[in-house]
Amino acid sequence: MTQTDKTGEQIATWVRADKTRPYCTRPWRQATVLSDGTAVCACVDAAKTNPLGNFRFQTFDEVWNGKGYENLRRAIATDIDTVPICVGCPNRIDEPAPPADYMTGVQKPRVLFLESYAGCNLACPGCNREAIEGSRTELAMGMDTYRKIIDSLSPTLQYMEFHLGGENYMHKEAHEMVRYCRDQNPDCFILSSTNGHFFHTAERCQKVLDSGIDALIFSVDGARQETYEKYRVNGRFDRVLDSMRMLVRMRNEQGKKHPLVIWRYILFEWNDSPAEMDLGRRLAKEVGVDHFAWHLNGVSIMNSSKRYYIGSPHLIEIKDELWDTLPSRVSEGPHLDFRHYR
C-alpha cells in the first residue's frame, strides 16, 4: 500500500462509519443538550429524533441514568446497527463497548455539547433548518436551565463544545453562559464554532475575550464572496473576515493567549481551485488566525470537491492542513477533537 493510500484510508476512518467501527461511547461519556433542554445522543441527532429526557423538567441524574439513556446504551452494546441514529454516524469507534452491567448508574460525564440557540441567520443547504428549528419547543435556552446543567457537572467538567444545531452567538446571553461555565470549571476547555457574523464591533469582540473561551472556530468556506455565499447563503464574507481580524488584533494588543482563532474551510467543487485555496491561505495569514484548516465535505456528496474527498489520492497534498490532522500538529490539539475524550 502506498503512502497516499494510507493517508486516504486513515482519513476515511475519521469521517465514515462502517462495520469495522461497531461501537460508540458517547452516551456513557458525553451529554448533548439542545436549546429546549432535551438530551440527545450527539450532534448527529440535531433534529431530535431520539430524545432521551429533558433537563428543564428533570434532574441531571434522572435524565443521565433514565430509561432513554439506558435503552440507547443497551441497543448500542447489543448491536449498534439496529439503532437508526447510529447508522452512518461518524462518531463510531472500534474500541470494545462498555460492560453489560454499565447501562445505568453511569457516573456523570465530563464532556458537554450544548446548544444555547437553535436558530440561525444563514441558510446553508447542508443544514436542515426546518427539522432543527421545528423540533424545538424553545429556540433559546433559559439561563435557569443552563445553570442547572453546568452546576450538575461542576467542578469536574473537562470540555464543553458551545454549539450544535444553531448559531449559539445569536443568544443574547451567550458570553455570560461561557463565563459561567469558566467560573464554575476553571480547568474546562471551552470551544465554540460560529459563522462569525456576531463579532463585528469592538464591544462584541471584547465580550468574547472577557468570556474566557479557549477556542473559536470560524466556518468560512471560500476566499471570495462569490464562492463563500454558495454554501453560507445570506452570509457576508467581508464582515466575517473583518471580525476575525479585529478579534485577533484586540487579543494580541491585550496580551492574551486565548481564544485560539481557527478558520475552518469546507472544500466543495466550487471553492477548491488552486487559486482559491492559495487566496484562502494568504488571507488567513494576513488576518493572523492561529490555525487554518481544510475540512472534507460530509454533508452533500454531490457538491464535494472533485479532488479532495474521502479516499482521494490527492489528500496527501494537503494532509498537513486538514482539520482532522490539526490535533496532532498543535500543542492544544487534543482539545480540538472529541476523540481525545473517549
Side-chain angles (χ1 to χ4, degrees):
M1 180 179 289
T2 67
Q3 180 62 45
T4 298
D5 290 334
K6 288 181 180 179
T7 301
E9 181 178 280
Q10 184 179 26
I11 293 171
T13 66
W14 289 334
V15 296
R16 184 192 64 208
D18 55 37
K19 295 293 184 179
T20 67
R21 300 167 62 208
Y23 303 113
C24 177
T25 59
R26 290 198 179 210
W28 284 265
R29 299 191 180 184
Q30 169 199 316
T32 300
V33 191
L34 306 180
S35 62
D36 60 4
T38 302
V40 293
C41 66
C43 58
V44 293
D45 197 12
K48 200 169 78 172
T49 63
N50 185 31
L52 305 173
N54 194 296
F55 293 111
R56 289 174 62 195
F57 315 113
Q58 299 170 273
T59 67
F60 195 93
D61 194 63
E62 285 173 343
V63 176
W64 185 245
N65 282 302
K67 279 297 179 183
Y69 266 105
E70 180 183 356
N71 291 339
L72 176 62
R73 290 167 185 147
R74 290 191 187 282
I76 289 173
T78 301
D79 184 355
I80 195 171
D81 290 310
T82 65
V83 186
I85 198 66
C86 299
V87 176
C89 176
N91 298 325
R92 290 166 58 159
I93 58 177
D94 56 6
E95 298 174 6
D101 60 352
Y102 197 48
M103 304 302 150
T104 189
V106 178
Q107 65 182 7
K108 288 181 180 179
R110 297 190 177 186
V111 174
L112 173 66
F113 279 42
L114 186 132
E115 174 188 83
S116 71
Y117 196 82
C120 188
N121 56 310
L122 302 186
C124 307
C127 180
N128 191 342
R129 295 249 47 88
E130 183 177 352
I132 291 173
E133 296 181 27
S135 67
R136 308 294 192 267
T137 57
E138 301 285 343
L139 287 184
M141 179 178 287
M143 284 298 291
D144 288 345
T145 300
Y146 177 77
R147 291 191 189 98
K148 178 181 179 181
I149 294 166
I150 297 299
D151 289 348
S152 298
L153 298 174
S154 300
T156 57
L157 189 64
Q158 293 181 340
Y159 179 84
M160 180 171 78
E161 285 208 12
F162 188 65
H163 66 93
L164 203 108
E167 171 54 54
N168 267 22
Y169 284 96
M170 288 182 71
H171 197 293
K172 294 180 179 179
E173 298 177 283
H175 302 293
E176 289 77 9
M177 287 177 153
V178 172
R179 185 73 252 176
Y180 188 80
C181 180
R182 163 63 64 235
D183 290 342
Q184 304 305 310
N185 300 274
D187 297 326
C188 180
F189 190 92
I190 306 173
L191 173 151
S192 189
S193 179
T194 176
N195 62 46
H197 284 76
F198 299 91
F199 312 94
H200 59 293
T201 67
E203 180 183 7
R204 294 192 178 202
C205 285
Q206 190 61 53
K207 287 184 176 181
V208 175
L209 297 173
D210 292 341
S211 72
I213 194 165
D214 293 290
L216 197 56
I217 301 166
F218 286 77
S219 296
V220 190
D221 316 309
R224 297 172 295 121
Q225 178 67 27
E226 293 76 11
T227 48
Y228 167 76
E229 67 184 358
K230 282 182 177 288
Y231 187 71
R232 303 291 167 179
V233 179
N234 300 327
R236 289 180 50 188
F237 180 73
D238 59 343
R239 177 163 170 161
V240 179
L241 206 67
D242 288 344
S243 295
M244 289 192 290
R245 184 182 291 110
M246 185 186 307
L247 182 59
V248 170
R249 176 179 58 78
M250 290 179 61
R251 181 198 65 185
N252 293 346
E253 288 176 350
Q254 295 175 30
K256 297 180 182 289
K257 294 183 178 181
H258 295 98
L260 298 176
V261 176
I262 303 162
W263 178 346
R264 185 166 59 184
Y265 183 130
I266 301 177
L267 289 166
F268 295 105
E269 61 183 353
W270 56 76
N271 66 5
D272 70 339
S273 70
E276 187 83 11
M277 292 174 72
D278 282 343
L279 178 57
R281 292 181 179 103
R282 292 198 302 273
L283 286 173
K285 184 176 181 179
E286 183 268 320
V287 168
V289 299
D290 299 288
H291 304 292
F292 178 74
W294 312 115
H295 195 22
L296 300 182
N297 172 31
V299 178
S300 176
I301 303 303
M302 290 178 60
N303 296 322
S304 289
S305 167
K306 297 299 186 291
R307 289 195 301 157
Y308 304 117
Y309 52 88
I310 298 168
S312 167
H314 294 286
L315 290 179
I316 193 70
E317 301 166 7
I318 58 171
K319 67 181 180 66
D320 293 329
E321 299 176 289
L322 284 170
W323 169 253
D324 290 288
T325 61
L326 181 60
S328 66
R329 301 197 304 272
V330 297
S331 60
E332 297 183 76
H335 297 293
L336 303 178
D337 191 332
F338 179 80
R339 287 170 296 172
H340 179 67
Y341 296 93
R342 283 183 177 145

